[in-house]
Each structure stands twice: as C-alpha cells, then as structure tokens.
C-alpha cells in the first residue's frame, strides 16, 4: 500500500503573499496559525487583514524561526509555516521558552500490563 503524504497546514499554501495593510480572503488561516502557536493574541486583530498586531506576530514568528523579520507574509514564511512541527506553542504569553515544564525526577519507572 502506498504511503500517504500529509501536508501540514495545507490551507496556508493557498494564501497569497501580503504586505502590511493588505487584506485577502483566507488570510484567517495564517492568523489562526499565529494564534495557535502563541504569536498572536485572540480578539486583537482584524480578520483577513495584515494589520499591526498580525505584522508584529509575523515578525516574532520569522525571528523565532531564523527568517528575516519583515512582518510581511512572504514565500519563506509560508514555506516555514507549512513544514512539519510539534503541536506545542512556541511562545507562552508572548515569551519564548526552551521547555514547558521540567521533569523533576531523572529516573523513570514503568511497567507493562497485558490486556
């Protein structure tokens, strides 16, 4: 059986490049991505528009991912957003973190149970 290829955040691929102040239907998926991963706070931005809060969030995302922090939605940003990644937020209340919580004990005990 052929292996199925999963395209992460496929809807973002169809969103055209945007500069600050521009608006396009479908840009909400980019804003949703930024909100999901901690770059954009909910209810602070205009849907479908690359407004000031969204541009700031894009710049933070670009900087965090080693891209040129332009605050615009460009091809390198689109490519980065559509790569495989973990589901955890990159930022917690706008602050980057290395780990979400520390494991207090370096030893792990486990057991297997049948059934």
């Amino acid at each position: 059986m052929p292996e199925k290829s999963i395209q992460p955040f496929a809807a973002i691929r169809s969103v055209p490049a945007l500069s600050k102040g521009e608006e396009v239907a479908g840009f909400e998926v980019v804003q949703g991505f930024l909100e999901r991963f901690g770059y954009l706070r909910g209810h602070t931005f205009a849907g479908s528009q690359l407004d000031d809060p969204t541009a700031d969030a894009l710049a933070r995302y670009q900087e965090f991912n080693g891209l040129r922090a332009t605050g615009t939605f460009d091809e390198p940003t689109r490519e980065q957003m559509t790569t495989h990644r973990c589901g955890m937020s990159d930022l917690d209340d706008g602050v980057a973190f290395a780990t979400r919580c520390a494991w207090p004990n370096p030893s792990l005990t486990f057991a297997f149970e049948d059934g």
Side-chain angles (χ1 to χ4, degrees):
M1 178 181 280
E3 198 168 306
K4 190 175 185 178
S5 176
I6 297 173
Q7 296 293 321
F9 307 101
I12 292 176
R13 288 195 182 280
S14 63
V15 178
L18 274 141
S19 295
K20 193 171 177 180
E22 293 181 332
E23 185 173 344
V24 68
F27 189 65
E28 301 92 357
V29 296
V30 174
Q31 291 171 313
F33 178 97
L34 293 168
E35 190 174 6
R36 175 180 177 179
F37 293 108
Y39 297 95
L40 186 61
R41 290 182 181 247
H43 311 296
T44 61
F45 55 90
S48 298
Q49 182 182 22
L50 207 166
D51 55 3
D52 288 335
T54 306
D56 293 342
L58 274 169
R60 280 193 301 277
Y61 175 80
Q62 290 163 334
E63 183 178 356
F64 187 85
N65 287 281
L67 302 171
R68 198 164 63 98
T70 62
T72 61
F73 184 68
D74 53 14
E75 185 62 31
T77 305
R78 180 188 301 111
E79 286 302 311
Q80 182 65 39
M81 285 182 166
T82 55
T83 58
H84 292 279
R85 57 161 298 138
C86 79
M88 297 295 292
S89 178
D90 294 333
L91 305 177
D92 190 11
D93 285 331
V95 177
F97 58 90
T99 59
R100 190 157 201 96
C101 59
W103 191 266
N105 188 351
S107 300
L108 179 64
T109 303
F110 63 93
F112 294 101
E113 181 180 325
D114 46 329

